[in-house]
Amino acid sequence: MTSKNDSCRELAQTIQALFSAGFEADTATLHFINSTLDHPDHQALQAVLNDVDNCDREGLIDLILSPDLTVYLKIEALLSHMALCQADVTRISSLLPDEMPTCIRIEGITKPVRFVVPFACRQRFLSQLNLTRPIDADIRIAIERLLPREKDRLTALAKIRHSRRIMSRAWAVFLLQFIPFFDRIDKDKWFIDLDFILDLSCRYNRENDIFNAFLQEKQHCLKQVETSLKLTEQLAKNNLETLMMQGSRIGLSADVSKLFQKITALDDLCRLVLGKVPLIEGAQFSGPEAVSFLFEKEDSR
């Protein structure tokens, strides 16, 4: 059996290898670089990334190093059944060299832009890996038993580890009920539903009645639909500048079609796991029929 010291050493080696290989600029990083530094060339960007007095330097490096799912999967493969504590993270940090050179590859710049990672940025990178976050033992066992491919198991575990909050027991039970459906529905949909569950478990963390959490989310979505439709109707009848001069408060319109897709996903997931769907005013709404209901309700007031 691998000892914890061996695992810490292997994690440190993996992190060092990630830094040595360098990073690809994603859309967010590229947008930040171009908007903040005005489309710099290789020399200008390298100067910023290696200038300890530049106020944009650490924020940019943090963005470059921000771990993605690919990184999380590599780390998760080394964390199987290993409960790390903060002392272990400190040990991993101490096993890394004092200077951590790396590079970023950017579309439009032919050569990799090389720089040394500041210690503070390295520590924030380690913090984002959530190495000490526990994963419920029953959830881990269910995933390892019911998901046949290693990549799928690691993806599920990584997504759970890097959820914004540790889920409450009620949500853990719901997730345990959901996991066995992996081989009964489309795999891509299963992972989309998993993301949905993790998001809801963060926003309704204190809700012990999971069905009620789905009901609240559905009501919230319908309220957004109602607000968006009213705003669209208002703008169709009035000039935007006129409304602003009159002191009217103009909000942002949500994408109604995406809201209905979300409502449908809510109903499907609730039906799949709990065997029923949340009802609004005694009727089930999962499509455009909700629109007429909302306006009928408004007219009856």
Side-chain angles (χ1 to χ4, degrees):
M1 180 178 289
T2 304
S3 71
K4 186 178 283 192
N5 284 341
D6 289 341
S7 293
C8 288
R9 190 174 298 107
E10 193 171 2
L11 279 163
Q13 290 170 350
T14 299
I15 292 166
Q16 187 173 350
L18 286 170
F19 280 60
S20 297
F23 298 84
E24 301 285 343
D26 59 17
T27 304
T29 304
L30 191 58
H31 175 74
F32 180 88
I33 290 171
N34 290 333
S35 60
T36 305
L37 305 177
D38 192 22
H39 297 80
D41 59 15
H42 182 280
Q43 185 176 0
L45 183 56
Q46 186 158 278
V48 169
L49 289 172
N50 289 287
D51 181 2
V52 295
D53 296 321
N54 190 298
C55 60
D56 293 320
R57 179 186 182 229
E58 287 203 7
L60 175 55
I61 292 177
D62 283 339
L63 189 57
I64 291 169
L65 302 184
S66 183
D68 59 13
L69 185 58
T70 303
V71 172
Y72 290 145
L73 292 181
K74 290 179 181 178
I75 299 300
E76 195 63 43
L78 302 175
L79 291 175
S80 180
H81 303 288
M82 186 66 63
L84 298 183
C85 62
Q86 191 54 49
D88 297 317
V89 178
T90 302
R91 173 166 171 72
I92 291 167
S93 178
S94 69
L95 290 169
L96 296 171
D98 292 337
E99 284 202 348
M100 291 281 287
T102 190
C103 69
I104 180 172
R105 289 176 289 275
I106 298 177
E107 184 178 354
I109 298 180
T110 55
K111 294 190 299 181
V113 181
R114 303 191 179 280
F115 60 96
V116 175
V117 178
F119 181 79
C121 294
R122 185 177 88 184
Q123 293 303 96
R124 286 192 287 270
F125 175 86
L126 285 172
S127 176
Q128 289 181 76
L129 296 179
N130 288 336
L131 297 174
T132 62
R133 172 170 285 191
I135 294 178
D136 182 276
D138 292 334
I139 289 174
R140 180 182 287 279
I141 290 170
I143 287 172
E144 292 177 347
R145 181 168 59 88
L146 296 170
L147 276 60
R149 292 201 318 159
E150 182 183 25
K151 183 178 179 181
D152 292 333
R153 293 194 296 270
L154 291 176
T155 299
L157 291 168
K159 284 176 177 288
I160 293 167
R161 180 181 301 279
H162 297 287
S163 179
R164 296 193 307 276
R165 285 186 176 185
I166 298 175
M167 62 175 54
S168 67
R169 185 58 194 166
W171 280 103
V173 170
F174 182 83
L175 182 55
L176 281 168
Q177 293 172 314
F178 167 75
I179 291 171
F181 289 100
F182 183 81
D183 62 349
R184 304 183 209 176
I185 61 176
D186 178 77
K187 185 181 74 173
D188 291 337
K189 185 180 186 310
W190 189 91
F191 278 109
I192 291 170
D193 285 344
L194 174 62
D195 288 336
F196 201 4
I197 292 169
L198 295 175
D199 177 59
L200 289 173
S201 72
C202 291
R203 292 191 287 113
Y204 296 94
N205 189 259
R206 297 183 180 181
E207 181 61 66
N208 290 320
D209 183 346
I210 304 304
F211 184 75
N212 190 57
F214 275 85
L215 177 62
Q216 290 182 59
E217 182 65 12
K218 191 170 183 178
Q219 289 172 328
H220 175 67
C221 288
L222 285 173
K223 186 65 178 175
Q224 286 183 292
V225 170
E226 184 176 26
T227 301
S228 293
L229 292 173
K230 285 181 177 179
L231 177 59
T232 301
E233 186 180 45
Q234 188 180 25
L235 291 174
K237 293 178 180 179
N238 301 275
N239 181 278
L240 178 60
E241 287 77 11
T242 302
L243 289 171
M244 293 177 68
M245 288 177 65
Q246 292 173 348
S248 299
R249 298 180 65 183
I250 306 298
L252 294 176
S253 178
D255 188 326
V256 172
S257 64
K258 287 186 178 180
L259 285 169
F260 281 133
Q261 289 173 11
K262 186 174 182 179
I263 291 169
T264 301
L266 276 164
D267 284 345
D268 289 346
L269 182 54
C270 212
R271 184 187 295 109
L272 179 72
V273 179
L274 301 179
K276 55 183 179 178
V277 298
L279 303 178
I280 308 294
E281 297 287 328
Q284 178 184 336
F285 297 105
S286 58
E289 66 271 18
V291 177
S292 59
F293 163 78
L294 291 168
F295 282 105
E296 286 169 9
K297 186 178 72 169
E298 181 69 21
D299 293 340
S300 66
R301 289 175 184 169

